[in-house]
Amino acid sequence: MFFKLLTSIKLKRLGTTFVSIFGVIWLFLEPAGLFLPESFKWGWWGYGGLVSLSLLIAVALNFPRFSVSRSLSSPNTTIEIKIGDLFDEPGHLVIGANDVFDTVLGEVIKPSSVQGQFLSRVYNGDQKRLDAEIDIALEPLKADKKKEQNKKKGKFWRYPIGTTLVLGSPDRRFFLNAYGYMENNLKVRSTADDIWHSLSSLWEQVRLKGHGLEVAIPIIGSDLARTNLARMTLTMLIVISFIAASKKDFVTKKLTLVIYPKDFKSVDLYTLEDFLDSTCF
């Protein structure tokens, strides 16, 4: 169990922490040995104990984290990054979408994706009801749509990247944010620029329709969007985008960025904690 724990901790950080702790303890023990030599004749047993103690403290300090949070100095907003289930979060949810707002599960939308879970867990698999609400939300944007002639499955009307639909009630909004282009081969394509643009549009809608309530967002663009960006990079991109929007004008009292447990090894919450310390000012 102990060795399994060690493998889940970044060894470089663990080694640095161990050396620092060992050095600090040794720094205090060395002078004490000069004044009380008889009391500090521990030999190799004592040295081994010191090594073991330093290693245990280093492991404790680098124990895998499951959440980190920081508050912005202005406005009064908290950013939390955590391991969990997006749909267990209170308040509003952000649901990543493609530019045609496809909803058909299977070949078009992967059932295990956030969009797929949104249909099954929030709408109980009622695709017709979800499509009807999406159509109502898209009605004011019909001047922006363009028909895709060569798409064989799913929906055919394309909307600009960044289009954000607001579904649900004032107490529980669902912000469907189009961050990816659904190609005719049913593969979603997106870029860092697309995601940044879509996030900027998202925060504006959250500001207008969220009433300051908590908002939870997954790492959009991390699975099927083929951005070629690591989850750590995408996480930082989302945080920076939110901070930039919040500095412009208040968006929400709390943003929770939810990372699914299966992606735990793809992120480093200690690094993200340092990142939040450097950006939340």
Side-chain angles (χ1 to χ4, degrees):
M1 181 65 181
F2 179 73
F3 290 104
K4 184 178 180 180
L5 174 62
L6 287 181
T7 58
S8 66
I9 298 175
K10 300 293 184 180
L11 293 181
K12 182 178 179 180
R13 184 175 60 233
L14 179 64
T16 301
T17 306
F18 166 75
V19 171
S20 299
I21 294 172
F22 183 87
V24 169
I25 296 176
W26 187 268
L27 180 65
F28 285 96
L29 288 180
E30 184 71 16
L34 292 176
F35 294 103
L36 301 170
E38 296 300 323
S39 300
F40 287 88
K41 287 184 177 180
W42 294 345
W44 286 106
W45 284 104
Y47 185 81
L50 177 58
V51 170
S52 299
L53 176 63
S54 300
L55 181 59
L56 287 173
I57 296 175
V59 169
L61 292 176
N62 290 278
F63 199 83
R65 303 285 297 274
F66 296 98
S67 68
V68 296
S69 65
R70 289 293 183 272
S71 296
L72 296 177
S73 58
S74 177
N76 184 20
T77 297
T78 299
I79 300 175
E80 181 180 22
I81 304 173
K82 65 184 294 186
I83 307 296
D85 187 330
L86 176 72
F87 295 94
D88 288 339
E89 294 298 312
H92 309 316
L93 302 183
V94 175
I95 309 296
N98 55 63
D99 64 332
V100 294
F101 295 95
D102 276 321
T103 57
V104 178
L105 298 185
E107 186 179 0
V108 181
I109 299 296
K110 189 177 178 181
S112 61
S113 68
V114 173
Q115 286 176 268
Q117 292 185 65
F118 176 59
L119 173 58
S120 61
R121 297 175 64 175
V122 176
Y123 282 80
N124 296 317
D126 190 344
Q127 182 190 339
K128 290 184 178 179
R129 181 164 70 93
L130 175 57
D131 281 337
E133 293 185 15
I134 288 176
D135 289 341
I136 292 173
L138 285 171
E139 183 63 25
L141 305 173
K142 60 183 179 181
D144 298 327
K145 67 181 183 180
K146 296 180 180 180
K147 191 170 184 179
E148 175 56 67
Q149 302 290 343
N150 299 316
K151 193 166 181 282
K152 303 303 181 183
K153 293 183 179 180
K155 299 180 181 180
F156 307 100
W157 291 104
R158 296 193 180 278
Y159 292 83
I161 294 294
T163 299
T164 303
L165 308 183
V166 185
L167 307 182
S169 65
D171 293 332
R172 180 73 161 174
R173 297 287 194 194
F174 301 101
F175 294 90
L176 273 63
N177 180 243
Y179 70 88
Y181 176 86
M182 175 62 86
E183 298 180 327
N184 295 334
N185 60 4
L186 304 182
K187 293 181 179 179
V188 180
R189 171 175 52 82
S190 188
T191 66
D193 286 341
D194 290 337
I195 291 177
W196 180 269
H197 176 68
S198 66
L199 287 171
S200 298
S201 301
L202 168 67
W203 305 136
E204 183 62 28
Q205 289 301 312
V206 172
R207 183 183 289 120
L208 293 173
K209 304 291 181 62
H211 305 296
L213 300 180
E214 297 181 12
V215 176
I217 182 174
I219 307 179
I220 61 173
S222 59
D223 282 324
L224 302 179
R226 293 167 175 81
T227 60
N228 294 323
L229 296 177
R231 284 178 172 78
M232 287 287 289
T233 303
L234 289 168
T235 300
M236 293 177 182
L237 184 66
I238 293 171
V239 170
I240 292 174
S241 173
F242 176 74
I243 291 176
S246 296
K247 293 298 182 181
K248 178 182 177 182
D249 198 3
F250 177 78
V251 178
T252 176
K253 65 180 181 180
K254 183 179 181 182
L255 175 71
T256 301
L257 206 162
V258 182
I259 302 168
Y260 277 99
K262 67 181 179 64
D263 298 325
F264 177 66
K265 292 184 178 180
S266 301
V267 297
D268 184 343
L269 288 182
Y270 282 96
T271 299
L272 291 175
E273 184 177 39
D274 293 339
F275 174 71
L276 289 178
D277 286 335
S278 66
T279 54
C280 294
F281 55 86

